[in-house]
Amino acid sequence: MGKWAGRSAAEIAAAVRGKQVTPREVMAEHLARIERLDGRIEAFRTVRAQAALAEADEVGSRADLSELPLAGVPVAVKDNLAVRGEARRNGSAATPDTPADEDHVTVARLRAAGAVVVGLTNVPELCVFGTTEGVYGIARNPWDPTRTAGGSSGGSAAAVAAGLVPLALGNDGMGSLRIPAANCGLVTLKAGHGVVPAGIGNGDWFGMSENGPLATTVEDLRLMYGVLAGAEPERSAEPPRLRIAAAVRSPLAGVGVSRPYTTAVREAAGLLTRAGHRVRRAEPPYPLDLGVTAVRHWTAGTAVDAEGLDRARLARRTRVHAAVGRRFVASVRSGDSRERLRARLAPFFAEHDVLLTPSLARRSPQAGPWHERGWLRNVLANTAYSPFTPPWNLTGWPAMSLPFGSLPSGAPCAVQLVGRPGTESVLLDLAEELERLRPWQRTASLAQQARG
């Protein structure tokens, strides 16, 4: 890596504010790294090389440069959010190739904070699945390029994990931040409903989708999350001793959990116990029909997003997903099943401050043309490896993923932290504690990237 590519966002911003480096120099290094490595990873649908350099110059000339929290920091944006002057393709040939007139509010907040948008990242069509591939490429995990980066924020996660950018913007409707973060060794936070502006697709998948950051450190995550939420998260001067429930059973009936992920939870629980937290094994009372509820919401969200698009230009798996979901739109929109789930799980969170689970049930599927495969095969592959994320979109409660341990392949393993509404700062503090107790490698090495 060069002097700045691969450095944290906090380090870059501090150096730019201190006039140790210009935003153009930072951007040029990252663009060179993208040109050298992205052919192996396919993180980006489009790279805004000349526009990004020009915008970096604009940041460098700002009168308030010394006050910008993300001064000169390159960021990538998921290709379902508007970036001024760029088309938003949402991973599909069926979407219009029309440049956006305005930035999405989250993109505007990043730019106001001094960040520079490098490009838009690959997603599965309409951001439906937990693998990222389609007409614009196959996003691969930089730690193991034979495996998918995950989805639907797969391109954003791959870009950060490969050191192509220090931060990326994504969103999460059924795990779309946490799944790729877990695959790619990143830390992410899906905030509770209404904390970060949404405005994703046609109705945020009935309020389940949340925008959020992907980063390599909790410090960087806090930095970007504070910009997106419009307020810096509180940090406890003396972190409280928390009541933590450690759970390893899959929320979805019939889905097994592989040993690396159960081991990660047990080891994290041990570390937190020794740090003074009260940790005990306790499984949330997930309802037996949770899988049915999740599929209804998942498919119905796609049905709404597909309205008005030329179905002949959609991949077959997307068409089937939307067709299945159309029959559920009215019942899902009522919100009754989500309210019942919240009522069922609320007593558990009255007894526990934080839930600790695996982020995934097993390693991600092989990278490949999943968009050309059948709908049921896609659904089963997604369900088998990512059952732990959907419940917290259905409830609208905060959840985050962070690296912990490793898989037999050497790729990262990960755990999930979940809290009740309004506990984003608690989760960040706990993640920071785990990062201190068990540090992780921030980005995939060149040797690992070369395997692909």
Side-chain angles (χ1 to χ4, degrees), residues 252-291:
L252 305 184
V255 176
V257 183
S258 66
R259 182 171 295 176
Y261 287 97
T262 59
T263 298
V265 169
R266 293 188 178 106
E267 291 184 358
L271 281 181
L272 293 171
T273 298
R274 292 190 290 276
H277 297 285
R278 180 183 149 201
V279 185
R280 70 183 184 95
R281 174 76 182 268
E283 300 287 345
Y286 300 115
L288 287 175
D289 65 350
L290 178 60

Side-chain angles (χ1 to χ4, degrees), residues 13 16-18 62-71 112-114 223 227:
V16 170
R17 289 193 298 267
R62 282 177 59 167
D64 60 349
L65 180 67
S66 63
E67 302 169 10
L68 300 176
L70 294 176
L223 185 61
V227 169

Side-chain angles (χ1 to χ4, degrees), residues 27 31 34 44 46-49 52 74-76 116-120 164-165:
M27 181 56 63
L31 289 171
I34 291 168
F44 285 94
T46 186
V47 176
R48 313 172 63 247
V75 299
V116 182
V117 177
V118 178
L120 291 102
L164 308 184
V165 287

Side-chain angles (χ1 to χ4, degrees), residues 370-384:
W370 283 93
H371 60 297
E372 297 174 359
R373 297 168 184 166
W375 173 76
L376 184 59
R377 187 176 174 188
N378 272 272
V379 169
L380 293 176
N382 278 240
T383 302

Side-chain angles (χ1 to χ4, degrees), residues 8-320:
S8 73
E11 290 172 324
I12 291 170
V16 170
R17 289 193 298 267
K19 303 292 183 71
Q20 299 168 32
V21 65
T22 67
R24 172 175 274 266
E25 289 170 327
V26 171
M27 181 56 63
E29 255 196 45
H30 284 83
L31 289 171
R33 185 168 174 81
I34 291 168
E35 185 175 5
R36 187 167 70 252
L37 295 178
D38 195 43
R40 306 175 194 171
I41 300 162
E42 297 190 57
F44 285 94
R45 176 182 70 80
T46 186
V47 176
R48 313 172 63 247
Q50 294 307 311
L53 287 170
E55 289 167 18
D57 287 339
E58 291 174 8
V59 170
S61 65
R62 282 177 59 167
D64 60 349
L65 180 67
S66 63
E67 302 169 10
L68 300 176
L70 294 176
V73 174
V75 299
V77 175
K78 187 175 180 179
D79 192 23
N80 67 340
L81 295 172
V83 172
R84 185 181 64 251
E86 303 292 337
R88 178 181 55 190
R89 299 311 303 268
N90 209 359
S92 180
T95 53
D97 188 16
T98 307
D101 294 328
E102 301 291 338
D103 287 330
H104 186 276
V105 60
T106 53
V107 177
R109 287 183 177 185
L110 291 174
R111 281 182 155 154
V116 182
V117 177
V118 178
L120 291 102
T121 57
N122 272 322
V123 299
E125 187 171 55
L126 305 191
C127 298
V128 174
F129 293 101
T131 59
T132 293
E133 62 289 301
V135 293
Y136 302 111
I138 297 172
R140 298 173 182 272
N141 186 344
W143 296 88
D144 181 358
T146 68
R147 298 277 160 179
T148 177
S152 62
S153 305
S156 285
V160 176
L164 308 184
V165 287
L167 294 173
L169 177 61
N171 36 59
D172 190 315
M174 278 282 175
S176 291
L177 281 167
R178 289 161 289 157
I179 294 168
N183 286 329
C184 295
L186 304 179
V187 60
T188 192
L189 170 65
K190 179 200 76 68
H193 182 63
V195 176
V196 173
I200 307 159
N202 297 322
D204 306 327
W205 273 16
F206 312 99
M208 295 191 301
S209 291
E210 305 292 345
N211 290 311
L214 289 152
T216 62
T217 69
V218 179
E219 180 184 24
D220 278 6
L221 187 74
R222 280 184 187 274
L223 185 61
M224 185 171 174
Y225 167 69
V227 169
L228 295 174
E232 186 176 343
E234 295 180 4
R235 188 192 297 265
S236 299
E238 184 67 31
R241 301 304 91 188
L242 300 171
R243 301 168 300 165
I244 300 172
V248 296
R249 180 172 62 84
S250 167
L252 305 184
V255 176
V257 183
S258 66
R259 182 171 295 176
Y261 287 97
T262 59
T263 298
V265 169
R266 293 188 178 106
E267 291 184 358
L271 281 181
L272 293 171
T273 298
R274 292 190 290 276
H277 297 285
R278 180 183 149 201
V279 185
R280 70 183 184 95
R281 174 76 182 268
E283 300 287 345
Y286 300 115
L288 287 175
D289 65 350
L290 178 60
V292 173
T293 300
V295 168
R296 285 176 173 169
H297 285 74
W298 183 22
T299 56
T302 303
V304 172
D305 281 349
E307 290 175 2
L309 297 180
D310 181 356
R311 294 181 189 175
R313 303 192 72 186
L314 294 173
R316 184 174 181 275
R317 67 174 182 176
T318 310
R319 292 198 304 271
V320 174

